Amino acid sequence: GSAGSVWSALQQPVVDALNVYPPGQPRLAPQNPPGSPLLQKPLAVSGGGVNHGGGDIITSTVDPDYRILRAWIAQGGAFN
């Protein structure tokens, strides 16, 4: 599908993930998107992610979902 349709499918899970972090804990790192917990945690450990109770959602950094989230974080993570 197109990037827009993938983003539509990802938008609510991203909003949910942003809402579960404790206040003051950084979720996004626009200056270093790959360092963002919101991008590291769903990424499989074998793909460079970190262990996380939510499991592997994105398999690797070449996955289209990873690329879309990375670009969104790099732009500051704003919802338009």
Side-chain angles (χ1 to χ4, degrees), residues 1-38:
S2 70
S5 65
V6 172
W7 173 243
S8 294
L10 289 173
Q11 190 168 357
Q12 191 57 51
V14 167
V15 170
D16 292 345
L18 289 171
N19 288 331
V20 298
Y21 276 82
Q25 183 176 351
R27 302 162 191 101
L28 305 177
Q31 302 83 3
N32 178 25
S36 298
L38 188 67

Side-chain angles (χ1 to χ4, degrees), residues 27-66:
R27 302 162 191 101
L28 305 177
Q31 302 83 3
N32 178 25
S36 298
L38 188 67
L39 197 53
Q40 290 180 333
K41 291 186 177 186
L43 181 61
V45 173
S46 62
V50 297
N51 283 323
H52 183 254
D56 297 343
I57 298 170
I58 299 173
T59 57
S60 74
T61 58
V62 297
D63 185 297
D65 294 340
Y66 179 91

